[in-house]
Amino acid sequence: MTVRAADQTEASQREALVVLDGVNKWFGDLHVLQDINLTIGHGEVVVVIGPSGSGKSTLCRTINRLETFEKGSITLDGQPLPEEGKALADLRAEVGMVFQSFNLFAHKTILENVTLGPIKVRKKPVKEAEERARTLLERVGVDAQSDKYPAQLSGGQQQRVAIARALAMEPKVMLFDEPTSALDPEMIKEVLDVMVDLAQGGMTMVVVTHEMGFARTAADRVVFMADGQIVEENTPDEFFTNPQSDRAKDFLGKILKH
């Protein structure tokens, strides 16, 4: 794995693609996102880390409105997130999402899983969608599995199919919500390798993960969250070698000892 060349200065100069401005969310009395301000540039890879319950996944899921928010604004490519209806469906076509669970359609083949969105939502001709799907399945290393069903694949293979399915929609940004947390250890690397390849190819990515090696290797910027707030953000080198906040020092002290 090679380190991405982009440095913090370059990242901050990129044209903004996703902008969260003063975003707040509550679950009942629990204030899970507190005044979140975050700008993600075109082609930037932002890795969000922090202790469990810090709001990382909720933050990720607000970017395509899988979670609503009560206060603040989020824009994608200069456009505010729609609240419902066709406009929201159109927005979700621009934002690829890969979950902990693979969420593949069990009764459809791998090829059908990847072509469904482009055919139904993007209105692509079947032949074109299938050609693109086969190219993507080859890219993520599961092209030999295209006629199988999800249950016939390993977890790592299913997650790589899920990545191909998201890419088939030609999204502007890819969201990853702990994509390796449901995988056996030997399968984690094969998924992370695909993600590193995407990062190096210039895909805009927001990645919530516990994989610190990925954060060090592929991120342009690490965002550290605790108690619903962004406590610290920096380049991977600076964050891991010289954390500024007590919360980050405590977090890294616990996870890097093992």
Side-chain angles (χ1 to χ4, degrees):
M1 292 186 183
T2 55
V3 178
R4 281 176 61 97
D7 61 21
Q8 182 74 359
T9 313
E10 182 187 322
S12 64
Q13 290 172 347
R14 291 185 171 120
E15 185 184 347
L17 178 60
V18 180
V19 179
L20 291 84
D21 184 13
V23 172
N24 284 264
K25 177 173 180 60
W26 285 263
F27 287 127
D29 293 333
L30 187 63
H31 197 176
V32 288
L33 294 178
Q34 302 179 29
D35 296 319
I36 298 294
N37 295 300
L38 181 64
T39 298
I40 297 141
H42 280 270
E44 188 178 12
V45 177
V46 174
V47 174
V48 185
I49 64 173
S52 295
S54 58
K56 307 183 298 294
S57 289
T58 304
L59 169 69
C60 189
R61 292 164 69 90
T62 59
I63 295 174
N64 69 348
R65 270 202 185 273
L66 281 177
E67 294 283 2
T68 57
F69 53 95
E70 284 73 45
K71 191 177 164 192
S73 68
I74 301 179
T75 57
L76 175 69
D77 228 359
Q79 300 298 312
L81 293 199
E83 292 194 16
E84 56 190 17
K86 184 178 184 302
L88 180 56
D90 290 344
L91 165 101
R92 288 199 176 136
E94 304 291 344
V95 182
M97 182 107 195
V98 179
F99 303 88
Q100 296 178 37
S101 52
F102 322 122
N103 291 10
L104 299 174
F105 292 109
H107 61 290
K108 292 188 179 294
T109 67
I110 296 310
L111 188 67
E112 288 168 342
N113 265 279
V114 178
T115 57
L116 186 66
I119 292 168
K120 296 283 189 190
V121 179
R122 296 285 197 201
K123 309 301 183 191
K124 293 278 175 79
V126 172
K127 188 169 185 298
E128 182 185 329
E130 288 185 348
E131 285 175 1
R132 166 93 173 139
R134 290 185 191 281
T135 300
L136 289 168
L137 289 169
E138 183 178 7
R139 181 176 176 184
V140 301
V142 289
D143 45 316
Q145 317 297 331
S146 61
D147 295 327
K148 293 183 179 176
Y149 290 87
Q152 296 174 280
L153 274 59
S154 71
Q157 289 172 324
Q158 288 187 61
Q159 193 61 297
R160 285 184 281 155
V161 171
I163 293 172
R165 179 181 60 179
L167 289 172
M169 295 295 286
E170 300 175 20
K172 292 179 178 177
V173 57
M174 287 276 283
L175 310 177
F176 294 85
D177 185 10
E178 301 195 9
T180 59
S181 63
L183 298 177
D184 292 335
E186 69 271 17
M187 294 176 189
I188 290 173
K189 183 178 182 300
E190 64 191 48
V191 173
L192 292 178
D193 283 347
V194 169
M195 292 169 63
V196 169
D197 178 60
L198 275 183
Q200 291 170 345
M203 173 61 73
T204 309
M205 296 164 63
V206 180
V207 184
V208 175
T209 186
H210 295 290
E211 298 295 331
M212 296 302 129
F214 177 82
R216 285 179 184 268
T217 304
D220 293 311
R221 185 162 34 128
V222 173
V223 171
F224 174 73
M225 289 187 71
D227 304 320
Q229 298 175 308
I230 293 176
V231 177
E232 193 170 331
E233 51 184 297
N234 215 325
T235 61
D237 281 352
E238 278 297 312
F239 178 76
F240 285 107
T241 59
N242 188 27
Q244 300 298 302
S245 64
D246 289 340
R247 286 302 306 268
K249 288 173 186 172
D250 181 54
F251 176 78
L252 290 173
K254 286 175 178 168
I255 62 165
L256 297 180
K257 283 176 183 171
H258 298 288

